[in-house]
Amino acid sequence: MKRSYRGVILLCAVLFLNIIFTQKAVHQYYYEDYTATVIYAVLNLVLFPIALFIYHKEKNV
C-alpha cells in the first residue's frame, strides 16, 4: 500500500489550508467579526470532502 508523492503532497496542502482556516476563524471570532468566522468555518468544512476524495483516489491507485 505505497502512496504516491502527489497524493501525500495534496493531502498536506489540504491540512495546511485546514489549519489556516481554523486559525483565521478563531481570530475573527475573537474580534467579533461573525460573518468572516462563518465563512472560514464553511471553507474548513468544504476541505473535508476534498481530503476524503484525494485519499480514496490515491488509495485505489
Side-chain angles (χ1 to χ4, degrees):
M1 187 168 311
K2 193 173 181 181
R3 304 276 186 214
S4 70
Y5 286 112
R6 184 180 61 118
V8 172
I9 290 172
L10 286 174
L11 283 175
C12 286
V14 169
L15 177 64
F16 181 69
L17 286 173
N18 196 332
I19 292 169
I20 288 174
F21 290 153
T22 301
Q23 285 181 342
K24 290 212 173 260
V26 169
H27 177 74
Q28 294 302 323
Y29 183 78
Y30 179 75
Y31 286 107
E32 297 180 359
D33 187 6
Y34 298 118
T35 16
T37 303
V38 170
I39 289 172
Y40 287 125
V42 167
L43 286 172
N44 213 352
L45 289 173
V46 166
L47 286 176
F48 183 72
I50 293 172
L52 278 178
F53 174 75
I54 294 170
Y55 175 76
H56 286 300
K57 189 170 182 175
E58 289 298 318
K59 184 178 175 185
N60 294 331
V61 168

PDB file of all heavy atoms in Angstrom, residues 1-4 6-7 52-61:
ATOM      1  N   MET A   1       0.841  -1.173   0.000  1.00  0.00           N
ATOM      2  CA  MET A   1       0.000   0.000   0.000  1.00  0.00           C
ATOM      3  C   MET A   1       0.894   1.247   0.000  1.00  0.00           C
ATOM      4  O   MET A   1       0.918   2.020   0.941  1.00  0.00           O
ATOM      5  CB  MET A   1      -0.907   0.000   1.219  1.00  0.00           C
ATOM      6  CG  MET A   1      -1.876   1.124   1.126  1.00  0.00           C
ATOM      7  SD  MET A   1      -3.259   1.202   2.243  1.00  0.00           S
ATOM      8  CE  MET A   1      -4.011  -0.338   2.226  1.00  0.00           C
ATOM      9  N   LYS A   2       1.604   1.413  -1.073  1.00  0.00           N
ATOM     10  CA  LYS A   2       2.515   2.542  -1.196  1.00  0.00           C
ATOM     11  C   LYS A   2       1.781   3.736  -1.765  1.00  0.00           C
ATOM     12  O   LYS A   2       1.049   3.621  -2.733  1.00  0.00           O
ATOM     13  CB  LYS A   2       3.679   2.142  -2.105  1.00  0.00           C
ATOM     14  CG  LYS A   2       4.814   3.076  -2.077  1.00  0.00           C
ATOM     15  CD  LYS A   2       5.981   2.506  -2.860  1.00  0.00           C
ATOM     16  CE  LYS A   2       7.137   3.467  -2.798  1.00  0.00           C
ATOM     17  NZ  LYS A   2       8.261   2.979  -3.547  1.00  0.00           N
ATOM     18  N   ARG A   3       1.977   4.891  -1.182  1.00  0.00           N
ATOM     19  CA  ARG A   3       1.322   6.124  -1.633  1.00  0.00           C
ATOM     20  C   ARG A   3       2.222   6.858  -2.618  1.00  0.00           C
ATOM     21  O   ARG A   3       3.445   6.775  -2.542  1.00  0.00           O
ATOM     22  CB  ARG A   3       1.035   7.048  -0.447  1.00  0.00           C
ATOM     23  CG  ARG A   3       0.208   6.397   0.622  1.00  0.00           C
ATOM     24  CD  ARG A   3      -1.234   6.491   0.285  1.00  0.00           C
ATOM     25  NE  ARG A   3      -1.992   5.969   1.414  1.00  0.00           N
ATOM     26  CZ  ARG A   3      -3.107   5.321   1.272  1.00  0.00           C
ATOM     27  NH1 ARG A   3      -3.606   5.120   0.092  1.00  0.00           N
ATOM     28  NH2 ARG A   3      -3.753   4.877   2.313  1.00  0.00           N
ATOM     29  N   SER A   4       1.586   7.593  -3.515  1.00  0.00           N
ATOM     30  CA  SER A   4       2.366   8.415  -4.435  1.00  0.00           C
ATOM     31  C   SER A   4       2.686   9.749  -3.768  1.00  0.00           C
ATOM     32  O   SER A   4       2.008  10.191  -2.850  1.00  0.00           O
ATOM     33  CB  SER A   4       1.592   8.648  -5.727  1.00  0.00           C
ATOM     34  OG  SER A   4       0.495   9.507  -5.485  1.00  0.00           O
ATOM     35  N   ARG A   6       2.392  12.639  -5.088  1.00  0.00           N
ATOM     36  CA  ARG A   6       1.367  13.625  -5.430  1.00  0.00           C
ATOM     37  C   ARG A   6       0.235  13.610  -4.403  1.00  0.00           C
ATOM     38  O   ARG A   6      -0.211  14.658  -3.943  1.00  0.00           O
ATOM     39  CB  ARG A   6       0.816  13.346  -6.832  1.00  0.00           C
ATOM     40  CG  ARG A   6      -0.177  14.358  -7.310  1.00  0.00           C
ATOM     41  CD  ARG A   6      -0.657  14.003  -8.698  1.00  0.00           C
ATOM     42  NE  ARG A   6      -1.317  12.705  -8.686  1.00  0.00           N
ATOM     43  CZ  ARG A   6      -2.580  12.521  -9.007  1.00  0.00           C
ATOM     44  NH1 ARG A   6      -3.305  13.516  -9.418  1.00  0.00           N
ATOM     45  NH2 ARG A   6      -3.113  11.325  -8.954  1.00  0.00           N
ATOM     46  N   GLY A   7      -0.237  12.428  -4.037  1.00  0.00           N
ATOM     47  CA  GLY A   7      -1.320  12.316  -3.061  1.00  0.00           C
ATOM     48  C   GLY A   7      -0.928  12.821  -1.693  1.00  0.00           C
ATOM     49  O   GLY A   7      -1.702  13.505  -1.019  1.00  0.00           O
ATOM     50  N   LEU A  52     -11.099  13.689   1.657  1.00  0.00           N
ATOM     51  CA  LEU A  52     -11.577  12.308   1.500  1.00  0.00           C
ATOM     52  C   LEU A  52     -11.484  11.845   0.054  1.00  0.00           C
ATOM     53  O   LEU A  52     -11.102  10.704  -0.220  1.00  0.00           O
ATOM     54  CB  LEU A  52     -13.023  12.189   1.986  1.00  0.00           C
ATOM     55  CG  LEU A  52     -13.219  12.035   3.476  1.00  0.00           C
ATOM     56  CD1 LEU A  52     -14.705  11.976   3.814  1.00  0.00           C
ATOM     57  CD2 LEU A  52     -12.522  10.811   3.997  1.00  0.00           C
ATOM     58  N   PHE A  53     -11.824  12.720  -0.870  1.00  0.00           N
ATOM     59  CA  PHE A  53     -11.742  12.383  -2.288  1.00  0.00           C
ATOM     60  C   PHE A  53     -10.299  12.080  -2.687  1.00  0.00           C
ATOM     61  O   PHE A  53     -10.022  11.084  -3.370  1.00  0.00           O
ATOM     62  CB  PHE A  53     -12.307  13.537  -3.134  1.00  0.00           C
ATOM     63  CG  PHE A  53     -12.145  13.339  -4.604  1.00  0.00           C
ATOM     64  CD1 PHE A  53     -12.955  12.437  -5.277  1.00  0.00           C
ATOM     65  CD2 PHE A  53     -11.186  14.041  -5.306  1.00  0.00           C
ATOM     66  CE1 PHE A  53     -12.798  12.243  -6.637  1.00  0.00           C
ATOM     67  CE2 PHE A  53     -11.033  13.865  -6.662  1.00  0.00           C
ATOM     68  CZ  PHE A  53     -11.837  12.957  -7.334  1.00  0.00           C
ATOM     69  N   ILE A  54      -9.376  12.911  -2.252  1.00  0.00           N
ATOM     70  CA  ILE A  54      -7.959  12.687  -2.571  1.00  0.00           C
ATOM     71  C   ILE A  54      -7.481  11.378  -1.944  1.00  0.00           C
ATOM     72  O   ILE A  54      -6.785  10.585  -2.586  1.00  0.00           O
ATOM     73  CB  ILE A  54      -7.101  13.878  -2.082  1.00  0.00           C
ATOM     74  CG1 ILE A  54      -7.444  15.131  -2.864  1.00  0.00           C
ATOM     75  CG2 ILE A  54      -5.616  13.564  -2.201  1.00  0.00           C
ATOM     76  CD1 ILE A  54      -6.828  16.401  -2.296  1.00  0.00           C
ATOM     77  N   TYR A  55      -7.869  11.126  -0.705  1.00  0.00           N
ATOM     78  CA  TYR A  55      -7.442   9.902  -0.013  1.00  0.00           C
ATOM     79  C   TYR A  55      -7.959   8.656  -0.726  1.00  0.00           C
ATOM     80  O   TYR A  55      -7.201   7.715  -0.960  1.00  0.00           O
ATOM     81  CB  TYR A  55      -7.925   9.935   1.431  1.00  0.00           C
ATOM     82  CG  TYR A  55      -7.627   8.663   2.175  1.00  0.00           C
ATOM     83  CD1 TYR A  55      -6.338   8.388   2.613  1.00  0.00           C
ATOM     84  CD2 TYR A  55      -8.617   7.732   2.437  1.00  0.00           C
ATOM     85  CE1 TYR A  55      -6.051   7.218   3.301  1.00  0.00           C
ATOM     86  CE2 TYR A  55      -8.353   6.560   3.107  1.00  0.00           C
ATOM     87  CZ  TYR A  55      -7.062   6.316   3.537  1.00  0.00           C
ATOM     88  OH  TYR A  55      -6.778   5.153   4.190  1.00  0.00           O
ATOM     89  N   HIS A  56      -9.249   8.642  -1.068  1.00  0.00           N
ATOM     90  CA  HIS A  56      -9.811   7.466  -1.729  1.00  0.00           C
ATOM     91  C   HIS A  56      -9.262   7.285  -3.129  1.00  0.00           C
ATOM     92  O   HIS A  56      -9.061   6.138  -3.571  1.00  0.00           O
ATOM     93  CB  HIS A  56     -11.339   7.562  -1.769  1.00  0.00           C
ATOM     94  CG  HIS A  56     -11.973   7.303  -0.450  1.00  0.00           C
ATOM     95  ND1 HIS A  56     -11.823   6.109   0.233  1.00  0.00           N
ATOM     96  CD2 HIS A  56     -12.754   8.066   0.335  1.00  0.00           C
ATOM     97  CE1 HIS A  56     -12.487   6.166   1.366  1.00  0.00           C
ATOM     98  NE2 HIS A  56     -13.057   7.359   1.474  1.00  0.00           N
ATOM     99  N   LYS A  57      -8.999   8.376  -3.822  1.00  0.00           N
ATOM    100  CA  LYS A  57      -8.431   8.280  -5.165  1.00  0.00           C
ATOM    101  C   LYS A  57      -7.009   7.698  -5.106  1.00  0.00           C
ATOM    102  O   LYS A  57      -6.649   6.864  -5.937  1.00  0.00           O
ATOM    103  CB  LYS A  57      -8.420   9.654  -5.824  1.00  0.00           C
ATOM    104  CG  LYS A  57      -8.051   9.598  -7.261  1.00  0.00           C
ATOM    105  CD  LYS A  57      -8.282  10.933  -7.930  1.00  0.00           C
ATOM    106  CE  LYS A  57      -7.923  10.790  -9.390  1.00  0.00           C
ATOM    107  NZ  LYS A  57      -8.210  11.962 -10.155  1.00  0.00           N
ATOM    108  N   GLU A  58      -6.233   8.130  -4.139  1.00  0.00           N
ATOM    109  CA  GLU A  58      -4.866   7.608  -4.008  1.00  0.00           C
ATOM    110  C   GLU A  58      -4.842   6.190  -3.446  1.00  0.00           C
ATOM    111  O   GLU A  58      -3.931   5.441  -3.736  1.00  0.00           O
ATOM    112  CB  GLU A  58      -4.039   8.544  -3.122  1.00  0.00           C
ATOM    113  CG  GLU A  58      -3.708   9.851  -3.772  1.00  0.00           C
ATOM    114  CD  GLU A  58      -2.857   9.682  -5.017  1.00  0.00           C
ATOM    115  OE1 GLU A  58      -1.925   8.859  -4.996  1.00  0.00           O
ATOM    116  OE2 GLU A  58      -3.126  10.351  -6.011  1.00  0.00           O
ATOM    117  N   LYS A  59      -5.827   5.860  -2.645  1.00  0.00           N
ATOM    118  CA  LYS A  59      -5.867   4.516  -2.059  1.00  0.00           C
ATOM    119  C   LYS A  59      -6.157   3.466  -3.132  1.00  0.00           C
ATOM    120  O   LYS A  59      -5.633   2.348  -3.072  1.00  0.00           O
ATOM    121  CB  LYS A  59      -6.960   4.480  -0.984  1.00  0.00           C
ATOM    122  CG  LYS A  59      -7.036   3.187  -0.246  1.00  0.00           C
ATOM    123  CD  LYS A  59      -8.113   3.268   0.824  1.00  0.00           C
ATOM    124  CE  LYS A  59      -8.307   1.944   1.503  1.00  0.00           C
ATOM    125  NZ  LYS A  59      -9.409   1.964   2.441  1.00  0.00           N
ATOM    126  N   ASN A  60      -6.968   3.810  -4.119  1.00  0.00           N
ATOM    127  CA  ASN A  60      -7.358   2.851  -5.147  1.00  0.00           C
ATOM    128  C   ASN A  60      -6.389   2.782  -6.317  1.00  0.00           C
ATOM    129  O   ASN A  60      -6.631   2.056  -7.267  1.00  0.00           O
ATOM    130  CB  ASN A  60      -8.756   3.200  -5.660  1.00  0.00           C
ATOM    131  CG  ASN A  60      -9.814   3.020  -4.587  1.00  0.00           C
ATOM    132  OD1 ASN A  60      -9.648   2.192  -3.706  1.00  0.00           O
ATOM    133  ND2 ASN A  60     -10.862   3.788  -4.644  1.00  0.00           N
ATOM    134  N   VAL A  61      -5.314   3.540  -6.264  1.00  0.00           N
ATOM    135  CA  VAL A  61      -4.348   3.523  -7.377  1.00  0.00           C
ATOM    136  C   VAL A  61      -3.504   2.284  -7.340  1.00  0.00           C
ATOM    137  O   VAL A  61      -3.270   1.642  -6.441  1.00  0.00           O
ATOM    138  CB  VAL A  61      -3.462   4.797  -7.346  1.00  0.00           C
ATOM    139  CG1 VAL A  61      -2.295   4.673  -8.286  1.00  0.00           C
ATOM    140  CG2 VAL A  61      -4.292   5.995  -7.675  1.00  0.00           C
TER     141      VAL A  61
END
